[in-house]
């Protein structure tokens, strides 16, 4: 009995148990000429079609975190990937965001807002606090005698007839029986 060794074309594998038929490697897997076996695409790579002979790098804004994928996953909002061939997305740093999936960089939060690491939204600074520039991770308290509404980038003096006595507090009406004639008290 003579057994002929079958050599499959590139992109195909030898079907077991008969070893007499070749079939295309599934999407996410590849083979080169005479391998007769399929190999999964590695991390950060994909192969979209059956019968492929090479894997492609995932484009920037996407990832392939497991082997053998037929497509790459978009980086979720709050994360990004700046280059191709990555298996993980990077969290946006505090003060920056991505508000949609599949992005290659993060955007700074505008003045009056802040964010923590990995955020998809900028939050307004609470009343009595400010973010004076873009890209901040925390809001700072307005000093005594000054305050702000939510989401502002600068503090204002408390108007006549009101005061704020501690950092980050809101302007309040002067107590009954007192008189606040100046601003910024």
């Amino acid at each position: 009995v003579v057994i002929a060794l079958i050599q499959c074309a590139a992109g195909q594998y030898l079907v077991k148990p008969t070893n007499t038929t070749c079939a295309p490697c599934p999407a996410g897997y590849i083979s080169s000429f005479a391998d007769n076996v399929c190999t999964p695409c590695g991390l950060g790579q994909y192969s979209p079609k059956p019968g492929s002979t090479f894997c492609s790098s995932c484009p920037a804004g996407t990832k392939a975190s497991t082997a053998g994928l037929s497509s790459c996953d978009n980086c979720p909002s709050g994360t990004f990937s700046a280059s191709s061939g990555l298996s993980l997305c990077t969290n946006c740093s505090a003060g920056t965001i991505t508000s949609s999936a599949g992005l290659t960089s993060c955007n700074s939060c505008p003045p009056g807002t802040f964010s923590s690491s990995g955020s998809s939204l900028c939050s307004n600074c609470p009343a009595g606090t400010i973010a004076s520039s873009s890209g901040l991770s925390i809001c700072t308290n307005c000093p005594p005698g000054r305050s702000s509404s939510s989401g502002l980038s600068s503090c204002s003096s408390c108007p006549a007839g009101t005061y704020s006595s501690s950092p980050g507090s809101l302007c309040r009406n002067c107590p009954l029986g007192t008189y606040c004639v100046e601003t910024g008290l």
Side-chain angles (χ1 to χ4, degrees):
V1 171
V2 175
I3 299 175
L5 181 60
I6 294 179
Q7 205 163 29
C8 296
Q12 296 185 337
Y13 69 101
L14 195 59
V15 178
K16 306 239 183 228
T18 64
N19 292 335
T20 59
T21 309
C22 294
C25 291
Y29 290 76
I30 61 165
S31 76
S32 55
F33 183 70
D35 276 354
N36 287 348
V37 294
C38 298
T39 305
C41 291
L43 300 179
Q45 299 178 326
Y46 72 107
S47 173
K49 298 177 187 174
S52 292
T53 58
F54 64 92
C55 298
S56 299
S57 292
C58 289
T62 67
K63 65 175 175 137
S65 53
T66 58
L69 294 180
S70 60
S71 64
C72 302
D73 297 319
N74 281 335
C75 289
S77 59
T79 69
F80 73 102
S81 68
S83 58
S84 61
L86 297 180
S87 60
L88 297 172
C89 300
T90 304
N91 278 345
C92 290
S93 60
T96 65
I97 62 160
T98 55
S99 57
S100 60
L103 297 181
T104 59
S105 64
C106 302
N107 296 313
S108 292
C109 290
T113 66
F114 71 102
S115 73
S116 58
S117 175
S119 292
S120 59
L121 295 171
C122 297
S123 299
N124 282 339
C125 289
T129 67
I130 61 165
S132 60
S133 61
S134 60
L136 296 180
S137 60
I138 59 169
C139 302
T140 56
N141 288 330
C142 291
R146 299 176 68 82
S147 193
S148 70
S149 298
S150 174
L152 294 182
S153 59
S154 63
C155 301
S156 299
S157 293
C158 290
T162 66
Y163 76 103
S164 78
S165 58
S166 61
S169 66
L170 301 177
C171 298
R172 301 190 188 284
N173 289 330
C174 292
L176 289 175
T178 64
Y179 186 65
C180 306
V181 73
E182 296 179 28
T183 61
L185 297 178

